Amino acid sequence: MSGIGTGYDLYPTTFSPDGRIFQVEYAHKAVENSSTAIGLCCKDGVVFGVEKIILSKMLVEGTNRRVFSVGEHIGIATAGLTADGKRIVQNARQEAKNYENFTSDIIPIHVLTERLSIYVQVFTLYNYIRPFGCSLMIGSYDEEKGPSLYCIEPDSVALGFYGCAIGKGKQEAKTEISKLKLSEMTCKDAVKEIAKILIKTVHDETKEKEMELEMSWVCKETKGKHKLVPKKLIEEAVEWVKGQENEED
Amino acid sequence: MFDLEKEFLYDLNKEVKTGTTVMAVTFKDGVIIAADSRTSSGSYAVNRVTDKLTPVHDQIYCLRSGSAADTQIISSYVSYYTNMFSIEEGSQPTVKKAAHMFREFLYQNKQYLHAAIICAGWDPIDGGSVYSLPLGGSIVKQPFATGGSGSTYLYGYCDMNFKENMTEEEAEKFVTYGITEAIARDGGSGGIVRKAIIDKNGVRRKTVYGNKLKKFWEK
């Protein structure tokens, strides 16, 4: 099988003649194979939503987590190889704890993002370790600074977003997100909007099996702590989405 | 048989300590820190014009007492880390952060160190703060703190004369008279009084020379 990068795509230590590192680009492909995750910066916090495909009826609800807490005040949502995501979250938790032990302050989100970026980048340098096959969205809420959302891709680029999507349906999701007025939205509204995008726009019922919604938030209401959105709110959001569908029909 | 040479050399080879008096006090707009200027090695005054007011960051200072070597190296570590963190974070470090870094070094290496630090300064979040870090590596936030061998002579003086929210003038008098008294009574303290006033505008350093030190009870 010969593809675009043949010959230059064996190791991350080789540049192609047109200046690309194919192994890192292939890592992006691994992210694009995974189900979608969305993060939104609202006026009073950050909300994450993940479309989790239920592979088997034997799986316990809530298993196969895709959102994680780092410290108490930062949330991370992953897309791509979940195991890779967990490894980076592990590193993030260590960084946060060490920072706190040393300075007695909680780690600011932009410092953590910077450090994770540097960590991810190291794995794009050598031929004996592969790049991470996952993207992460990192979010936090601070009374003074407001909400912050960053996204780190396998090439280690970290950018700040108002709204972001990663995974299979990221293009459609990003289009929908750009239509939203995020600066006026509360987190409760965002829960509904994210549910709508994931259920209606991104999830293809004909092609894929059932999905489960995993949502979490860091906002004024949770007093700046990262928590899973209460089950009741998610159920209400799903009901609301179904209601919207009926209206449109 | 008293061997003059041996006794003298033994004294000179003793570890250099800052037998000291240092004080830090919060006032309305910030903090004032003050120290004497004697560094001794046994009974020999190695330096009679020492500067014990060590900058850690632009508006965070530390007052060092105990082993000169230990306190110097630790304040240089903390200075390094506060600078690194403030650049990484893009914001001014708080006195709390610097003080807790001191604590980490002092506590984790307590077997090897003989160092006590007072970390004081001004930051936009907490205003003027004084943190006392005594020998074992504990940390206590206080409205004022004293340290060093001369501080034993100041407990009564401070307790009687300290007031919350003093003006700059009152606070300056408070520390100057305190250090002067300790210099008079403590053999390990001497020389001049060095002061620094740290508030939102920055740091102003002042010195009171020996002949200007006020005389109290003794003539």
Side-chain angles (χ1 to χ4, degrees), chain A residues 142-192:
Chain A
D142 183 69
E143 270 301 320
E144 285 165 22
K145 294 185 204 147
S148 313
L149 176 65
Y150 293 92
C151 181
I152 305 184
E153 312 246 274
D155 56 359
S156 92
V157 167
L159 300 170
F161 286 92
Y162 296 111
C164 182
I166 48 180
K168 205 179 300 185
K170 75 171 187 207
Q171 276 311 113
E172 300 106 328
K174 281 189 174 172
T175 320
E176 291 300 313
I177 291 172
S178 60
K179 296 180 192 161
L180 300 171
K181 284 213 178 71
L182 291 170
S183 52
E184 292 163 24
M185 209 185 270
T186 62
C187 281
K188 285 218 168 102
D189 295 333
V191 170
K192 293 197 183 123

Side-chain angles (χ1 to χ4, degrees), chain A residues 13-227:
Chain A
T13 47
T14 315
F15 279 100
S16 74
D18 51 351
R20 295 151 74 177
I21 302 178
F22 279 102
Q23 275 298 308
V24 175
E25 296 192 16
Y26 295 162
H28 274 104
K29 297 253 167 69
V31 178
E32 277 162 38
N33 283 338
S34 114
S35 62
T36 319
I38 297 179
L40 292 185
C41 248
C42 320
K43 71 175 180 204
D44 62 340
V46 176
V47 187
F48 290 119
V50 183
E51 166 211 13
K52 281 172 23 175
I53 309 293
I54 302 175
L55 293 167
S56 152
K57 289 234 169 0
M58 286 289 107
L59 284 172
V60 173
E61 243 177 57
T63 199
N64 188 26
R65 286 284 299 274
R66 294 269 297 272
V67 283
F68 306 95
S69 286
V70 172
E72 283 184 317
H73 60 298
I74 297 179
I76 297 190
T78 60
L81 303 175
T82 320
D84 284 13
K86 283 188 174 168
R87 175 81 149 92
I88 301 179
V89 166
Q90 182 97 317
N91 184 270
R93 286 175 174 161
Q94 290 241 312
E95 287 282 354
K97 196 57 188 152
N98 285 337
Y99 186 97
E100 201 177 308
N101 282 345
F102 192 43
T103 66
S104 84
D105 255 345
I106 56 176
I107 191 168
I109 182 176
H110 64 280
V111 172
L112 178 68
T113 306
E114 197 56 41
R115 296 198 184 172
L116 287 182
S117 251
I118 293 172
Y119 179 69
V120 168
Q121 196 275 340
V122 170
F123 291 79
T124 64
L125 290 172
Y126 306 107
N127 71 347
Y128 50 83
I129 33 175
R130 62 167 177 80
F132 286 104
C134 67
S135 287
L136 308 162
M137 288 187 293
I138 307 171
S140 182
Y141 174 75
D142 183 69
E143 270 301 320
E144 285 165 22
K145 294 185 204 147
S148 313
L149 176 65
Y150 293 92
C151 181
I152 305 184
E153 312 246 274
D155 56 359
S156 92
V157 167
L159 300 170
F161 286 92
Y162 296 111
C164 182
I166 48 180
K168 205 179 300 185
K170 75 171 187 207
Q171 276 311 113
E172 300 106 328
K174 281 189 174 172
T175 320
E176 291 300 313
I177 291 172
S178 60
K179 296 180 192 161
L180 300 171
K181 284 213 178 71
L182 291 170
S183 52
E184 292 163 24
M185 209 185 270
T186 62
C187 281
K188 285 218 168 102
D189 295 333
V191 170
K192 293 197 183 123
E193 294 293 341
I194 292 180
K196 183 170 165 196
I197 300 174
L198 288 176
I199 294 174
K200 284 191 64 191
T201 318
V202 165
H203 184 70
D204 191 340
E205 275 179 8
T206 54
K207 281 198 198 147
E208 286 155 347
K209 306 181 187 181
E210 276 178 55
M211 69 168 269
E212 187 192 329
L213 263 182
E214 184 173 317
M215 302 191 76
S216 73
W217 57 8
V218 202
C219 53
K220 215 173 188 158
E221 218 178 283
T222 64
K223 300 204 177 74
K225 305 226 188 294
H226 179 249
K227 297 201 170 134

Side-chain angles (χ1 to χ4, degrees), chain B residues 176 180 191-195 206-210 212-214:
Chain B
T176 315
T180 311
I192 58 181
V193 179
R194 293 200 191 271
K195 291 183 286 194
K206 293 190 180 179
T207 318
V208 183
Y209 296 114
K212 294 283 191 303
L213 292 183
K214 204 163 156 57

